[in-house]
Amino acid sequence: MFTRFTSMLHHAVEALAPNVSLQQEFMSHWKSVNQYFVDVIDHKMSVDQTPVPGHLKHMIQMLVREEAGGEAGVPGPCMEYLLKERILETLYTLARTDCPPGMKQLVLQLFIKLLSHVRQPLLPHIHVHRPVQRLVKMCGEVKASPAETDEIQFLLTLCSVVKQDPYLVNFFIEMPKPKTPDSSKSVMTNNDVIEICPRQSRFIIVDSLLRLMHSEDARVSVKACEGLMLISSLPEENAARHLLANTNFTSKLTSQLCSLYTALPKALYPADIEAVDAKWGLDIASSVDDRHSFPGKRSVISFLSWLDFCDQLIGVAHELVAKALALSIHERFLIALLEPAILQTSEVDAIMATAHLSRCLRLVSSPELITEFAFFILGHESEPEVFGVPSSHRLRQRLLERCDHISEEVCVATWKLFEILLNKPNDHIVRNLVLRNLVSRGYTSSVSLPASAISSPTREHRPLSSPCSLPSTPLTADKPCKSEAAPSGFPLSGETESQSRVKPASFSLDPDDLVTPKDKVTDVSSADGEFVSSDALRSRSSGSGTSPPVFPEQLKRTESNKVELSYSNGGGEGDRVLEKSLKQEDEKDAGIIGRYELLDIRQVVSIFLNILPKDAISSHHSADSGYDSYLRDAQHQFAVMSAWHRKFNWPQKPVSKQNSPDWPFYEGLFLQKLLDKLSTMLQQSYEVNLQVTCVASRLALVPHANIHEFLLNPQLPIRQGCRNLPTVLQKLASDIQARVRIIPDFQKKLLGVRHKLMGYSNNSIRRSDDSSSLLAGVIVFEEFCKELAAIAFVKHHAETLQR
């Protein structure tokens, strides 16, 4: 009321008084403020009930008006008067005493307006940065202060000013004279010792932000974290060194993470932890529309939100700050808290700790923190593994041993961790788990067959669905298939890769070898690189015993530049269009010698889709075979993964770094466990099979030539005693062929299990029912082969487009 009356009186006086200059009016307002404090001795009433706020408001308005009408960068008379009379230092003194009550908030608001509205640089002036420094030190001194909101807004304003001109950060680094000649501090980051700066200096703005970071007001805490993110992202190396040496920045942030982790309830379900979606800055309780609530969810959200903040900060921070904070999280959180929890003997606690690690790993995205997680899980080893020699990194060895644990929960949780690990763009992860053993290429055979055995026109070939073409043991030079020839697409181990790529003139494939069952799709690339549905590749052999052949009737281009097919029985014009398209594709592929070089992508896709016996196929009874969706997913995932791994500059062709030709090949413990689990799919539960195939398909998407040929090249000649993914699938398909003959009503039971898995039936699969688990394994195997076929085609298609 009194302030409003004073303002009205002031306007009336201005209307009656003669015109005065802007400087005289500015001086008049400041004298009125001084006169009030001289006249009033007992300051009991709030500052809002005094004329002081009105006078200070007019002073700020005059400074802004003066700058707008004057020359840019040149202080006007009002600004010169403010600096000469040390008005800001006087205001700081009034704010320090907070007399009258509320004066501190008023002064902070005045500084905020001054720094944000006046465009000319003010901080370099000593009569500006000195009171600003003192105000910064004052922020956060009193917990739960009524001025917290204004304090954090003042600090954020300063951070924004410093972000625009990074050199201004030096005004907030106090450097008193060192007491000793050598008073420097060093910080170790990734085996590099960095000399930082003198110990006695202080980074006052960071100290104040760290104090406000622990405010009970969530909005103040979030804004303090924003300020820390702005300061840590400054390009000034001097500021980064002072931040690490003279503040508790890394220890405070890591301690908060550890405190939130230890506060998590012990009794949690891994599925609940996985379902929690938490982002820093959005940690707001919502009990109304929270559909999935469980005891302890708020604690989990708080922990993950803080980890997300640390991850985001590391992603934008200066290189020194990012490495130091990531290393602190590695040492104080991962090693000190998570590792003992994961290595304990209690299965329940180990599963819970593994679920925590998986959720944390899925959340992080900054390269530095991903690297520290990779070193924590896998260690620093890079030399090839030796069979029977355990890893020197205890956690890696224990996790890989748990991949075939007797407890399914432990097994699934561990494989899920490796799936998330393979989904991170980090070169060390792929090299440590897979590449350090595959680069030798010791799995390939160098034994050659006689030329007559390759070019003989009377050589017999059988489709993959024949019993003979699915041997119970991997094909090697000493153990070929019992028929006169090897299965189509799977060369004998004695054949070299080049010999398996024979020309049509000297080696004619049986049409059955390329038959794609009606329920499956084998896409190829059109002449211009578009996707073409593989129904066009169906058999044209009238004596194959399958359904009547179908051909494309016409090719319709859609607006999205895709290929749309319509079909009719018989041949005709569509057959000629298809032949032309495939001929153009063959001519296009003929010049490709790259990362995913294969005999014929059509044969590779057909091999994966036809490896399962016909009687064990159940997808043709559903409306959608699923291959199209696998193509779309594989195309998207491979595009993302290729973008991630492009910076690693992996070779375009499979590399061979074998030290000795007699050196025994060992695929490594990770691939050994993966192939072992895939080979026993018929004896495992549906959940385990689903998770293991997810890991295998994720690994198959990795754009490295050695990994591609080991997992997705069924025509690769394999060395005796070695195996790769196609040979494991061969043996598994042979086992399925034998089970089909033993189990009565196999097809009917298989369809029943598929309906249960797809949700068409309310009956669940009982784990005690061996037949249901086996049939579920057959269905997973069928879908897994479709996914591998889609991945192989997408990789080939991407290579085609690049060339």
Side-chain angles (χ1 to χ4, degrees), residues 393-417:
H393 192 69
R394 184 174 56 168
L395 182 60
R396 181 186 190 272
Q397 184 70 22
R398 182 68 61 86
L399 288 173
L400 289 175
E401 290 173 355
R402 289 177 179 174
C403 286
D404 57 355
H405 199 274
I406 191 174
S407 170
E408 289 187 0
E409 289 78 7
V410 175
C411 183
V412 170
T414 307
W415 280 114
K416 185 172 293 185
L417 173 63

Side-chain angles (χ1 to χ4, degrees), residues 75-97:
C78 295
M79 181 62 69
E80 290 181 351
Y81 179 80
L82 181 139
L83 298 176
K84 181 180 179 181
E85 296 297 325
R86 301 183 180 182
I87 293 177
L88 297 181
E89 295 185 14
T90 304
L91 291 175
Y92 160 73
T93 305
L94 296 174
R96 187 67 181 175
T97 59

